[in-house]
Amino acid sequence: MKIRDKTTLLLASAAVFILPSFADAATEEYVQINASEVLSSLNDPSLSGEDRTKKFNAYMDEFTDMNAVANFAIGKYSRRFSEDEMARYRVAFRTYALSVYENELDAYRGEAVVVKNSVDRSANDSIVNTVIKRADGQDMDVRWRVLTRKGEYQVVDVALNLDGNLIWLGIEQRAQFLSLLDRTNGDANALIDKINSMTKKLEDSRAN
Amino acid sequence: MRTTLLSSFAAITLAACASGQAEAPKGTIADPYQDFNRSAFAFNQGLDKYAIEPVAKTYGAVTPSFLRDRVGDFSRNLGEPVTFVNSALQGEGTRASDTVFRFIMNSTIGLLGIWDPAEKVGVPAHKEDFGQTLAVWGVPSGPYLVLPFLGPSNPRDALARVVDQAFQPLTWTEFESDDDLDTYIMVGSAVLSGLNTRLALDEQIKTLNSQPEPYVALRRIYTSQRDSAIRNGEVDEETVYDDLPDFDEFEE
């Protein structure tokens, strides 16, 4: 084998082993930067409540593909809803999901996100493990599922580790949405009404 | 008669444990008795709304938190022998010895368990039950089950409650002064401890009831919390992501 061929083979072999670790590092960096920005957006004292929500929502829209998450939450029904039902559902879901995330993450506003490590489930599906360091010492283990879709990173679910009990917010939501749809013969309006009522409760509780 | 009944219950329960596990697809919770479970869940919700919650709130209003804390500590101390036996059965030597230390210290310096000085010296409480022991021994949980009055469970945990009662020393204690005193202590402690728990969980119960499907939410919470308790609160990093669903399965 010629030296040039050997070099090519060596580089190709190295790439096979090295590239995944580069991918890991890039995914971890993506979460580190974006999660920190999201949390800092909740802690900007110069913004009014409304402006803070707007800024948070803008970051979340960059951070995740809300339509894809909405599809995931209703599983097989995403193919059964009519276009109109799907459009109304997506609007309701987006509003609700952003409220949930704002509420859940509000407890960690302004805190530092520290990446611990990451696990690749496949070439396009990784979990980034982070710790959110809180000033009161109650650090939180938060895990981010990141997919590479169309060449871009997207966070598609977030898990909170509560005493060894890993709660994936999207998966929890999906289990309940699917059950509600199963029990109402796939009635999109029943789900949309329920989501809207939950959003209203969240907004009311935040206002009080 | 009691032995026969218990043996039959155990046989049915263990058979259900074995069959239920096989029916559950990966990442889901076997719930073949869902119709019965939903009825029991609705009954328990009604019971909570019209009886337990009002009683708990009245209890909370008329008792200072200091007193409720003493009740909680006393009740937990009564359960330490059960935790000790199960820690030992699971081969958890350190946790078993910690439990003995806690029981002796809290029963003496802690005045029959109404204080928890063991926690102050760095030996916090933990809980082990026979359901966790069976799980550590490899007995599958069986299908999800909702018991009227008792709440979410499964055949393994339901059977284990009976066994744990046998590990409770007060079950076998008779006081010379009053034959029924042991029963009064056990029932009184269980009732007050239950009210304490209901008060502590008030916000979580409100959140649960506001979910689209509270039944499904509770089923997932119960199952994952039991799994976590069996692992002593540790996440199994080797398998924790195995059951994640495919995200793009229904993408256009």
Side-chain angles (χ1 to χ4, degrees), chain A:
Chain A
M1 191 180 282
K2 290 178 182 172
I3 290 178
R4 199 179 68 180
D5 289 345
K6 277 184 177 175
T7 308
T8 308
L9 185 64
L10 196 65
L11 286 174
S13 308
V16 168
F17 291 103
I18 290 169
L19 278 178
S21 68
F22 276 137
D24 278 353
T27 315
E28 290 175 11
E29 188 184 3
Y30 173 79
V31 169
Q32 168 83 63
I33 291 170
N34 287 280
S36 297
E37 280 182 352
V38 166
L39 292 185
S40 69
S41 74
L42 290 170
N43 199 39
D44 187 342
S46 66
L47 296 176
S48 67
E50 197 177 323
D51 288 342
R52 195 172 61 213
T53 298
K54 270 186 195 165
K55 191 174 176 188
F56 173 80
N57 291 355
Y59 273 126
M60 288 300 288
D61 277 333
E62 281 178 31
F63 202 26
T64 189
D65 181 348
M66 211 45 96
N67 283 344
V69 178
N71 281 5
F72 172 75
I74 53 172
K76 64 190 177 191
Y77 290 98
S78 64
R79 288 181 180 157
R80 297 183 190 175
F81 281 10
S82 68
E83 274 187 30
D84 171 61
E85 287 170 339
M86 203 60 195
R88 286 187 295 117
Y89 161 70
R90 281 178 169 169
V91 170
F93 180 85
R94 181 180 179 280
T95 312
Y96 172 66
L98 289 173
S99 289
V100 169
Y101 279 116
E102 190 174 351
N103 266 19
E104 291 289 335
L105 296 176
D106 193 55
Y108 309 106
R109 60 158 86 179
E111 308 292 2
V113 179
V114 178
V115 172
K116 283 163 62 183
N117 53 37
S118 58
V119 176
D120 285 339
R121 297 186 71 241
S122 71
N124 302 319
D125 186 351
S126 306
I127 312 291
V128 178
N129 298 332
T130 65
V131 174
I132 299 183
K133 297 276 184 189
R134 288 173 49 147
D136 62 6
Q138 291 185 324
D139 297 347
M140 187 71 195
D141 175 354
V142 182
R143 304 180 183 209
W144 314 74
R145 188 173 181 190
V146 184
L147 298 190
T148 312
R149 311 167 86 239
K150 298 170 189 164
E152 291 185 355
Y153 292 120
Q154 293 282 337
V155 171
V156 294
D157 208 349
V158 178
L160 307 176
N161 180 359
L162 305 173
D163 299 326
N165 190 7
L166 217 54
I167 307 287
W168 289 96
L169 300 181
I171 292 174
E172 294 302 316
Q173 212 64 82
R174 174 186 162 105
Q176 294 187 53
F177 284 8
L178 287 178
S179 176
L180 189 147
L181 287 167
D182 286 345
R183 281 158 47 75
T184 56
N185 293 320
D187 184 350
N189 289 324
L191 178 63
I192 293 166
D193 289 347
K194 184 68 195 176
I195 293 172
N196 287 336
S197 76
M198 291 191 300
T199 305
K200 187 170 182 316
K201 270 187 188 170
L202 278 173
E203 288 171 350
D204 288 348
S205 69
R206 204 182 307 152
N208 293 330

Side-chain angles (χ1 to χ4, degrees), chain B residues 73-236:
Chain B
D73 285 348
F74 177 76
S75 178
R76 190 166 53 236
N77 195 52
L78 278 186
E80 296 285 23
V82 177
T83 294
F84 164 71
V85 173
N86 283 299
S87 297
L89 289 174
Q90 290 170 39
E92 300 268 6
T94 306
R95 286 166 81 88
S97 59
D98 280 355
T99 307
V100 170
F101 174 81
R102 283 182 51 79
F103 186 66
I104 292 172
M105 190 171 200
N106 290 349
S107 300
T108 51
I109 300 171
L111 303 177
L112 295 177
I114 63 171
W115 299 94
D116 188 356
E119 184 159 20
K120 298 275 189 296
V121 297
V123 188
H126 70 274
K127 192 172 180 297
E128 298 287 353
D129 57 49
F130 196 61
Q132 294 178 46
T133 300
L134 287 175
V136 169
W137 290 353
V139 177
S141 65
Y144 182 65
L145 208 54
V146 182
L147 302 172
F149 298 100
L150 298 175
S153 189
N154 56 54
R156 182 186 65 204
D157 291 349
L159 168 70
R161 293 178 81 110
V162 181
V163 178
D164 279 333
Q165 200 57 45
F167 293 157
Q168 170 56 259
L170 275 178
T171 303
W172 312 103
T173 306
E174 291 290 341
F175 291 96
E176 280 187 14
S177 55
D178 184 346
D179 285 352
D180 294 328
L181 185 58
D182 55 306
T183 309
Y184 294 148
I185 294 172
M186 267 201 297
V187 173
S189 164
V191 168
L192 293 179
S193 161
L195 293 176
N196 270 2
T197 305
R198 177 60 183 81
L199 277 176
L201 293 178
D202 193 48
E203 279 305 311
Q204 286 95 322
I205 291 171
K206 278 183 191 155
T207 304
L208 177 78
N209 288 335
S210 69
Q211 295 297 303
E213 282 283 298
Y215 172 83
V216 174
L218 183 60
R219 185 175 67 190
R220 293 180 67 82
I221 290 167
Y222 174 77
T223 307
S224 58
Q225 281 189 342
R226 285 299 291 171
D227 287 347
S228 169
I230 290 160
R231 298 188 309 267
N232 294 333
E234 297 294 322
V235 176
D236 183 353

